[in-house]
């Protein structure tokens, strides 16, 4: 049941990510701190109920105010975006997480697309080293989830390496289920926690 | 209790005198309790207040707290029903601890009786404890313990072990401890140790990081666990006496440690080669060799009591399942086939079963299965997620974590799944309980 709803959700969320990544004006307004976050953060009971933006307001259009409000409690991504003079790609390297299916470390097609964009930027910014963090939802046992997070980070590392990012610039760390992006106990939250997050190494 | 040297001295001073000649009783003779029967009748036992010999405050305190401890310990095992003192027919304060009025005890339904007498002076406690068979009207055990008043609990624990050995045929669980993860201190996940009954919980890590999956060595001197204190999941092996820590700090992760029974060696899952595999390590954290290798995740080792076989979790068939490897031949057998997520195996002390965590219908539950893969029985039902099962050293109980009351807390049940109850009384959340072997010190 969860997997079915996941299959519907993930592509929609990711398509929105990709769309948003190409809309600089939106990025500036932090919309890419993601519709999913807004849904779960502001109203957990909406979990899995609808994948469309407009179901809350009924208008069907993108309501920028509502999104900003919803995103307030969710400081995972895009926090440093507004007014930043850095290039959008550096921002999106950190802010765009890679999502996975339940109990899987396989890169879904959308994840590969996002990683290609990241690899492009990393290749042209060769001074940057990154930390690839593997995370899981809290379904499953803590030690298994560390191993699963380890596999997810490793999948991303290997894929970036295959796209020409030097192995020496990448480190991995698995946090398993210990650092959820969303502490909620519903599929919306779990889907957001099954992720690889990239940080720039200092 | 802090200084181990002082502790050892005190224990050394604990004189144990046999005050009865009746030592011919062996476990076989007292086959009162069929421990293989989940519906067994609990043994009714009476534990009157211990008698204060001179009547001083220390003795009165021991009288109350000691008889309470003894009742709680026996009751905790699930084998005994301790009879309410309100039902007693005689004034136990006036009766002789060595010569009971057997009839008065059988009348209230007590088949066994424990009497105690406490003498306390100059910071020294003398505790006489006796077990009687009230039906056959004879004393079964009589012991006199002498030591520091702080060792009262230890004396009573030791006497309870004697009772267990005589009536059940093994020394029980009274010399065991439970290690677990708790957020009750700083709000971070730190490692704790409590007594077998969940009492006296104390924190053994304080690095304000994330600490997971503790496992105590057979001799009770070390606890291995996963720690993020260095920024990633490393394996820490901590001496409990001097708090010295050996760190296995390799690329990737080093998780899910399990000590080899009776040896200063442990197995753990390390991913420095790019894939989580199980390695055998010395107690100082030096790699001896790789023992499990497959493409995909291998983790969560648990050894058979003789150390000759090891259960573990592998994803080699596409989903996490439990396998057993013969350590000598390297032969691997798959144990679990039902469901897509079977993890956290723990090998029973009797060697015949494995308890594990299984995901079914979107809920995690505890399941026990024979080592040959037959006869799986689900022990928890409809009570949140239940995880991290671990056998008591006598195999009579299983400790586990559950979200049945909201956040994860620690519970125990009998090996048959009956008598499920909360164990550790702490704030925050508790998880990953692991029952240690009995450690007599």
């Amino acid at each position: 049941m969860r997997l079915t709803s996941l299959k519907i959700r993930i592509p929609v969320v990711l398509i929105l990510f990709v769309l948003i990544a190409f809309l600089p004006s939106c990025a500036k307004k932090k919309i890419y701190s993601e519709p999913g976050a807004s849904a779960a953060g502001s109203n957990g009971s909406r979990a899995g109920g609808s994948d469309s933006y407009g179901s809350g307001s009924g208008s069907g259009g993108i309501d920028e105010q509502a999104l900003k409000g919803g995103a307030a409690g969710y400081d995972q991504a895009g926090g440093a975006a507004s007014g930043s003079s850095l290039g959008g790609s550096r921002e999106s390297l950190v802010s765009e997480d890679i999502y996975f299916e339940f109990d899987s470390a396989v890169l879904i097609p959308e994840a590969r697309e996002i990683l290609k964009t990241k690899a492009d930027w990393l290749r042209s910014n060769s001074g940057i080293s990154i930390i690839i963090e593997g995370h899981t939802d809290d379904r499953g046992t803590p030690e298994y989830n560390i191993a699963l997070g380890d596999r997810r980070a490793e999948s991303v590392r290997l894929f970036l390496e295959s796209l020409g990012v030097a192995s020496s610039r990448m480190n991995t760390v698995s946090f398993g289920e210990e650092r959820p992006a969303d502490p909620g106990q519903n599929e919306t939250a779990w889907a957001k926690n099954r992720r690889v997050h990239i940080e720039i190494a200092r | 209790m802090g200084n181990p040297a002082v502790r050892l001295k005190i224990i050394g001073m604990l004189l144990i005198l046999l005050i009865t000649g009746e030592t011919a009783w062996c476990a076989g003779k007292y086959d009162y309790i069929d421990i293989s029967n989940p519906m067994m009748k609990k043994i009714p036992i009476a534990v009157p207040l211990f008698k204060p010999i001179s009547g001083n405050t220390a003795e009165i305190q021991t009288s109350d707290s000691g008889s309470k401890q003894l009742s709680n310990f026996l009751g905790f095992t699930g084998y005994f029903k301790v009879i309410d003192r309100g039902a007693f027919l005689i004034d136990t304060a006036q009766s002789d601890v060595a010569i009971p009025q057997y009839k008065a005890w059988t009348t209230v339904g007590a088949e066994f009786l424990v009497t105690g007498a406490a003498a306390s002076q100059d910071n020294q406690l003398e505790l006489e404890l006796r077990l009687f068979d009230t039906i056959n009207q004879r004393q079964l055990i009589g012991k006199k313990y002498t030591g520091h008043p702080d060792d009262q609990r230890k004396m009573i624990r030791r006497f309870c072990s004697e009772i267990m050995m005589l009536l059940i045929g093994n020394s029980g669980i009274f010399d065991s401890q439970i290690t677990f993860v708790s957020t009750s201190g700083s709000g971070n996940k730190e490692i704790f140790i409590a007594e077998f009954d969940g009492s006296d919980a104390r924190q053994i890590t304080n690095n304000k990081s994330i600490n997971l999956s503790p496992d105590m060595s057979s001799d009770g001197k070390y606890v291995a666990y996963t720690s993020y204190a260095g920024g990633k999941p490393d394996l820490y092996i901590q001496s409990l006496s001097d708090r010295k820590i050996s760190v296995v700090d390799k690329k990737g992760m080093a998780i899910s440690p399990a000590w080899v029974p009776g040896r200063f060696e442990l197995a753990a899952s390390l991913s420095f080669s790019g894939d989580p595999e199980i390695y055998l390590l010395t107690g100082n954290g030096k790699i001896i060799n790789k023992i499990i290798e497959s493409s995909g995740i291998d983790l969560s080792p648990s050894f058979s009591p003789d150390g000759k076989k090891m259960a573990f979790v592998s994803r080699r068939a596409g989903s996490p399942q439990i396998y057993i490897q013969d350590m000598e031949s390297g032969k691997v057998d798959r144990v679990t086939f039902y469901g897509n997520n079977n993890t956290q195996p723990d090998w029973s002390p009797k060697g015949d079963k494995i308890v594990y965590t299984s995901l079914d219908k979107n809920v995690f539950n505890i399941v026990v299965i024979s080592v040959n893969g037959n006869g799986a029985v689900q022990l928890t039902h409809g009570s949140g997620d239940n995880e991290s099962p671990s056998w008591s050293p006598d195999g009579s109980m299983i400790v586990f974590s559950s979200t049945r009351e909201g956040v994860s807390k620690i519970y125990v049940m009998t090996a048959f799944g009956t008598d499920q109850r909360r164990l550790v009384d702490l704030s925050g959340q508790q998880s990953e309980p692991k029952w240690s072997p009995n450690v007599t010190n």
Side-chain angles (χ1 to χ4, degrees), chain A residues 26-80:
Chain A
C26 289
K28 209 165 64 191
K29 302 216 151 73
K30 293 199 243 178
I31 287 184
Y32 67 9
S33 55
E34 91 182 66
S38 156
S42 59
N43 183 1
S45 66
R46 259 183 69 187
S50 169
D51 293 314
S52 88
Y53 258 121
S55 65
S57 63
S59 72
I62 293 178
D63 181 337
E64 195 174 308
Q65 289 303 3
L67 271 174
K68 283 174 94 173
Y74 182 71
D75 60 4
Q76 174 72 10

Side-chain angles (χ1 to χ4, degrees), chain B residues 204 221-223 237-246:
Chain B
I204 65 154
K221 290 180 178 159
Y222 296 86
V223 174
I237 304 165
Q238 180 169 332
S239 159
L240 292 175
S241 55
D242 57 14
R243 301 218 159 190
K244 270 193 187 140
I245 298 174
S246 304

Side-chain angles (χ1 to χ4, degrees), chain B residues 229-291:
Chain B
K232 65 185 180 57
D234 294 320
L235 180 64
Y236 281 43
I237 304 165
Q238 180 169 332
S239 159
L240 292 175
S241 55
D242 57 14
R243 301 218 159 190
K244 270 193 187 140
I245 298 174
S246 304
V247 181
V248 179
D249 168 22
K250 290 195 164 293
K251 195 171 140 305
M253 45 156 243
I255 63 165
S256 69
W259 291 91
V260 184
R263 310 245 297 264
F264 190 53
E265 289 174 4
L266 69 171
S269 177
L270 278 59
S271 71
F272 65 89
S273 70
D275 189 17
E277 316 279 17
I278 299 175
Y279 293 80
L280 190 65
L281 306 152
T282 69
N284 298 317
K286 301 272 180 298
I287 291 176
I288 299 171
N289 59 339
K290 189 189 285 187
I291 46 181

